Amino acid sequence: MRVSQAKELFRALTQEYFAGAWVTFSRQSRVAKPNVPLVSITPGNVNRPQNPSYENVGGEMLGYYPSRISMTVDLFTPGREVVDEEMGGTVAHENTAVDDMLAFADFLNSEHTINWCHENDVAIQFEGDVQDLTGLVNDTNYEFRSRLVVLLYFTQKVVGHAAVATEDSIQPAGGHPPSPGGDGGEDQPGQDAPKPGDDIVIEPHYEQTSSGGGTEELATQTTGYFTKVEIKEDKA
């Protein structure tokens, strides 16, 4: 799973819970400011080891990077209306930002989300406590605000001798399973992709990055392997 897939996977999970709110990534240029309630996700840096764990699959190198990315979730809400029964109108708004964020944390700790993590080969953990930022931000546009930092753990796979083949080069030995739509195609977040321990084969597939990285020649390089070795003993 690449970083862009991991981010979209988490955004989709957050949108599943906040069905009545606008869920978006922060720091997007030329995007109009949405109305509240608003959930803004700010991805952080990716933490992973310097070197992957490698295995040899039919002469092709397949490496795994255990990775972690932080997702800072900011909730902006107008709060709960306080109604004066005598006047018959709203007289104030109660700050429910922390309660609402804690309810989201409950959802992330639920059996539903645990099963979702198993299906997508990821894990979720919290970093710190839910924070009430309402009084810390000198801004009245969003009224009440809270924050929760979520750590998303996933695995990045590298394929081939030069590690430039894409992850969809990893195929089940019996053939690629069809997508939910039934037309095959590349793995998308939420689909059952081959995992370590499955019977898999490597069919190198190359796609140049948007920055022009990688070449077809690099993607088709092979590492190779041997099946027999002859050992001779020299006696002094």
Side-chain angles (χ1 to χ4, degrees):
M1 182 183 301
R2 308 313 292 176
V3 176
S4 58
Q5 292 176 305
K7 292 193 296 185
E8 176 56 29
L9 199 63
F10 182 76
R11 189 208 64 80
L13 177 67
T14 305
Q15 183 69 80
E16 181 182 3
Y17 176 78
F18 287 104
W22 187 291
V23 179
T24 184
F25 289 111
S26 64
R27 302 171 184 171
Q28 299 186 74
S29 61
R30 299 184 180 181
V31 176
K33 182 180 68 179
N35 296 323
V36 291
L38 165 66
V39 178
S40 174
I41 302 173
T42 306
N45 296 327
V46 177
N47 178 278
R48 70 178 192 177
Q50 180 176 349
N51 300 307
S53 299
Y54 274 110
E55 68 171 322
N56 191 304
V57 180
E60 297 286 352
M61 297 303 295
L62 176 58
Y64 304 92
Y65 282 100
S67 305
R68 184 193 71 201
I69 185 173
S70 63
M71 298 288 189
T72 302
V73 182
D74 288 297
L75 171 64
F76 305 95
T77 176
R80 182 185 295 113
E81 293 184 351
V82 178
V83 179
D84 188 321
E85 295 182 358
E86 295 183 359
M87 298 179 58
T90 301
V91 296
H93 285 80
E94 178 186 355
N95 182 1
T96 60
V98 171
D99 281 342
D100 295 348
M101 188 64 83
L102 287 172
F104 177 56
D106 294 342
F107 169 74
L108 295 180
N109 270 329
S110 69
E111 286 296 321
H112 171 86
T113 303
I114 292 174
N115 292 335
W116 176 88
C117 288
H118 290 327
E119 292 171 1
N120 293 284
D121 197 22
V122 299
I124 286 178
Q125 195 174 34
F126 302 136
E127 184 177 61
D129 302 322
V130 172
Q131 304 175 61
D132 188 349
L133 303 183
T134 302
L136 301 179
V137 180
N138 186 23
D139 188 351
T140 59
N141 290 332
Y142 294 111
E143 298 190 21
F144 304 121
R145 177 179 177 183
S146 61
R147 171 176 292 178
L148 175 65
V149 179
V150 180
L151 301 177
L152 179 67
Y153 294 82
F154 61 103
T155 303
Q156 297 184 66
K157 303 180 183 70
V158 291
V159 183
H161 186 73
V164 298
T166 57
E167 287 191 2
D168 60 4
S169 302
I170 308 169
Q171 304 289 337
H176 194 286
S179 66
D183 56 354
E186 297 183 359
D187 293 323
Q188 300 294 331
Q191 293 188 27
D192 292 329
K195 298 179 177 62
D198 293 343
D199 292 330
I200 58 176
V201 295
I202 303 297
E203 299 177 1
H205 177 263
Y206 163 71
E207 182 178 338
Q208 194 172 63
T209 68
S210 57
S211 304
T215 65
E216 186 72 32
E217 290 75 14
L218 289 173
T220 55
Q221 289 182 359
T222 57
T223 303
Y225 64 100
F226 56 87
T227 58
K228 294 192 301 182
V229 61
E230 183 178 350
I231 301 176
K232 293 184 178 180
E233 180 183 3
D234 293 330
K235 295 183 179 180

